[in-house]
Amino acid sequence: TGPMEHGGRDTIEHLARDHGLIVKSGVSGKVSVLVVGDPDTQSGKAQKARQLGTRIMSERAFLHLLGIE
């Protein structure tokens, strides 16, 4: 969620799918991680993720885990 530095949301979603991950547009109890451009965001999605105990991960950390950065 939020602005991304590395090609935008579409690029991040494409990379996630290429690595076999399922991308969702919203946050629910079934979502494992929310990738955000700004880890301190107070967006509605981030607030919901915090309420649900869903991990919030920065775009940079996500790309690192994928072996891209």
Side-chain angles (χ1 to χ4, degrees):
T1 191
M4 302 281 178
E5 293 180 22
H6 295 83
R9 176 183 283 170
D10 290 341
T11 300
I12 300 298
E13 288 181 0
H14 182 77
L15 290 168
R17 286 186 182 99
D18 283 352
H19 283 80
L21 301 174
I22 298 169
V23 177
K24 299 288 185 180
S25 60
V27 176
S28 72
K30 296 181 180 181
V31 173
S32 300
V33 64
L34 176 65
V35 178
V36 298
D38 173 12
D40 296 321
T41 182
Q42 295 299 312
S43 72
K45 285 182 186 177
Q47 289 178 9
K48 186 170 184 180
R50 288 183 186 101
Q51 290 172 347
L52 294 171
T54 302
R55 183 179 347 167
I56 298 175
M57 181 178 293
S58 72
E59 169 194 16
R60 181 166 293 214
F62 182 70
L63 292 173
H64 179 74
L65 286 176
L66 295 181
I68 295 171
E69 189 172 286

